[in-house]
Amino acid sequence: GIPGKKCGTVIVTAEELGCCRDSVLMQFCANKLDKKDFFGKSDPFLVFHRSNEDGSFTICHKTEVIKNTLNPVWQAFKISVRALCNGDYDRTIKVEVYDWDRDGSHDFIGEFTTSYRELSRGQSQFNVYEVINPKKKGKKKKYVNSGTVTLLSFLIETEVSFLDYIKGGTQINFTVAIDFTASNGNPSQPTSLHYMNPYQLNAYGMALKAVGEIIQDYDSDKMFPALGFGARLPPDGRVSHEFALNGNPQNPYCHGIDGVMEAYYRSLKSVQLYGPTNFAPVINHVARYAASVKDGSQYFVLLIITDGVISDMAQTKESIVNASKLPMSIIIVGVGPAEFDAMEELDGDVVRISSRGKFAERDIVQFVPFRDYIDRSGNHVLSMARLAKDVLAEIPEQFLSYMRVRGIKPSPAPPPYTPPIHVLQTQI
């Protein structure tokens, strides 16, 4: 604001949202709109308004501008039914037609009103609207209209949520991969990221518990494959980038997050931290499972906890690009003080990740640096809750993007369980 000068007001109005999850895909065209520009024709666009409970109107959608035509065909657009009319099919929807001007003083061509119920009839004679300019109508006796707007198509889509799939029986499979490279430091030293402190969890343990305890609620059998990478294994000292933490390569499953923690501590005592830091083997390990069930009945989440100095960047990128076609997501938690530039690149939020000229079909990697969540006040409960929230924030959308691309709908939820009624038989 400018002192002493009134800079306008902002008005906030609220209305309870109806529980309508439909969206609608609509397309419009117009014919013989009024010519507003001195040189050339008009540059028309549409503005849609939802009516509010007090009779006022709120803009809910603007189309793109189509240059220099009186017979525009606008692109189809998608809008939620909540935004359009808050699920009230008979509420007025006002549509204004404007001629775009570079300086922002767009010229009003005319308007019409409709409702969701009318629009839902689809392309028909009912959905050809006369565009009326009230000023012109008042002045000119012979005024008919300022053109017409026609609905070309109307398609209803019900938006499904992550929970609809979970209710319908989709299983979330959670796999953990832990970095056992020498850059973490000797586990017997307090400076090590893998330090086995009898009194409190190290960074790996904290990250594992924070994320795992939330994910385990979505995994019905609570059996988690837990892998390690970058260590030399007993008895022969061979280096492995994909070993079972419980020492059983045929069955790397651990029971619950507590079982994973136990296997992690046991591994620390038996393996030798080594290197290099290769991600591709564990990503490919999970991808092999994900590739075998693409029908939407299962989805795989891989949690990689690492100190971040990655050695096989090219192979990892290729693995991620290939995995982006599969029902899986990758979460990377970076622990320790290293620079995590490579991880930010894998995250792909700024620039979509690519390998050999091929781009990832969708974004499947979420990276978070653990150090941003270490609570200075020592309240680890709150900081771990924040970590879990941010780590898991992208999973539902990544999950839905896979299902959408494949056209997989959630299965109907089974009826709620009712226990059988035991009839008491009395002996006479």
Side-chain angles (χ1 to χ4, degrees):
I2 301 155
K5 188 174 178 216
K6 196 165 184 251
C7 297
T9 52
V10 173
I11 300 159
V12 179
T13 53
E15 176 182 339
E16 188 174 346
L17 281 178
C19 65
C20 175
R21 293 201 303 180
D22 291 348
S23 283
V24 54
L25 188 68
M26 296 189 279
Q27 186 175 21
F28 290 87
C29 69
N31 282 83
K32 298 183 179 167
L33 293 175
D34 284 357
K35 178 176 176 297
K36 289 283 182 184
D37 290 349
F38 196 65
F39 302 107
K41 297 169 181 167
S42 295
D43 305 319
F45 67 96
L46 301 177
V47 180
F48 290 75
H49 300 256
R50 174 184 71 232
S51 62
N52 301 315
E53 289 170 317
D54 63 359
S56 63
F57 285 94
T58 302
I59 293 178
C60 57
H61 182 77
K62 287 181 185 179
T63 66
E64 77 282 14
V65 176
I66 306 234
K67 292 289 185 74
N68 201 21
T69 176
L70 303 178
N71 303 301
V73 179
W74 289 281
Q75 285 174 8
F77 65 91
K78 189 174 173 180
I79 185 169
S80 74
V81 175
R82 274 181 173 178
L84 195 61
C85 61
N86 198 7
D88 176 351
Y89 292 1
D90 297 304
R91 193 181 286 206
T92 303
I93 296 165
K94 181 170 80 170
V95 185
E96 295 176 328
V97 188
Y98 285 94
D99 165 40
W100 178 83
D101 278 332
R102 177 168 277 113
D103 64 3
S105 61
H106 312 308
D107 299 319
F108 178 68
I109 294 175
E111 65 186 21
F112 62 91
T113 59
T114 179
S115 68
Y116 179 88
R117 199 176 296 284
E118 280 184 48
L119 292 169
S120 66
R121 294 170 168 184
Q123 190 180 16
S124 66
Q125 76 269 27
F126 302 109
N127 278 318
V128 179
Y129 297 93
E130 287 192 87
V131 177
I132 302 297
N133 184 330
K135 273 189 186 168
K136 274 193 170 181
K137 196 175 182 179
K139 281 183 188 166
K140 296 182 182 175
K141 283 204 173 109
K142 288 184 178 171
Y143 177 78
V144 181
N145 60 43
S146 295
T148 58
V149 168
T150 304
L151 174 71
L152 292 175
S153 64
F154 185 93
L155 190 70
I156 301 165
E157 291 178 12
T158 299
E159 294 288 330
V160 289
S161 72
F162 175 62
L163 281 180
D164 290 328
Y165 287 91
I166 299 297
K167 284 178 191 162
T170 297
Q171 291 293 317
I172 302 292
N173 296 293
F174 179 49
T175 303
V176 178
I178 291 179
D179 181 339
F180 281 85
T181 54
S183 51
N184 284 284
N186 182 343
S188 61
Q189 302 293 320
T191 51
S192 169
L193 295 168
H194 280 304
Y195 179 53
M196 291 171 74
N197 183 337
Y199 304 108
Q200 72 176 83
L201 294 172
N202 61 29
Y204 278 87
M206 277 163 77
L208 192 55
K209 223 171 162 55
V211 179
E213 284 186 343
I214 289 180
I215 283 198
Q216 73 178 359
D217 290 338
Y218 294 91
D219 192 316
S220 60
D221 66 1
K222 308 276 186 284
M223 295 299 287
F224 306 124
L227 309 170
F229 57 93
R232 291 175 81 159
L233 308 188
D236 53 358
R238 66 184 178 86
V239 176
S240 172
H241 295 292
E242 179 191 349
F243 62 91
L245 291 190
N246 65 3
N248 183 351
Q250 273 66 52
N251 183 5
Y253 290 84
C254 303
H255 191 267
I257 289 306
D258 291 337
V260 175
M261 299 288 284
E262 209 177 296
Y264 160 59
Y265 287 129
R266 222 181 20 249
S267 280
L268 274 179
K269 288 177 184 154
S270 63
V271 305
Q272 183 194 347
L273 270 55
Y274 206 68
T277 309
N278 293 349
F279 280 14
V282 288
I283 295 173
N284 293 336
H285 175 101
V286 176
R288 282 195 293 279
Y289 288 93
S292 65
V293 272
K294 295 186 190 169
D295 61 356
S297 63
Q298 302 197 34
Y299 193 85
F300 294 79
V301 178
L302 167 62
L303 170 66
I304 300 176
I305 311 178
T306 177
D307 71 343
V309 190
I310 185 168
S311 318
D312 65 340
M313 192 66 173
Q315 291 88 332
T316 295
K317 280 184 172 178
E318 188 167 1
S319 301
I320 292 170
V321 170
N322 293 336
S324 68
K325 300 183 186 70
L326 302 173
M328 73 179 273
S329 288
I330 300 164
I331 298 163
I332 304 172
V333 175
V335 292
E339 285 303 316
F340 289 120
D341 300 355
M343 302 301 146
E344 300 284 5
E345 194 182 331
L346 294 179
D347 189 304
D349 280 349
V350 183
V351 179
R352 181 62 61 89
I353 188 171
S354 65
S355 166
R356 305 187 194 196
K358 268 197 334 203
F359 281 86
E361 186 180 292
R362 55 196 184 90
D363 173 20
I364 63 165
V365 181
Q366 164 79 329
F367 166 72
V368 289
F370 186 77
R371 56 171 170 251
D372 293 358
Y373 298 87
I374 301 296
D375 195 296
R376 300 279 174 266
S377 66
N379 184 346
H380 286 316
V381 177
L382 283 178
S383 49
M384 289 308 97
R386 267 182 52 236
L387 171 77
K389 180 174 173 287
D390 288 359
V391 159
L392 299 171
E394 290 185 14
I395 298 282
E397 192 41 56
Q398 291 176 4
F399 174 99
L400 288 171
S401 73
Y402 175 81
M403 299 298 178
R404 264 189 231 120
V405 168
R406 298 288 177 284
I408 298 167
K409 299 269 184 280
S411 305
Y417 173 73
T418 44
I421 298 161
H422 292 292
V423 180
L424 286 171
Q425 290 187 326
T426 49
Q427 282 186 323
I428 295 170

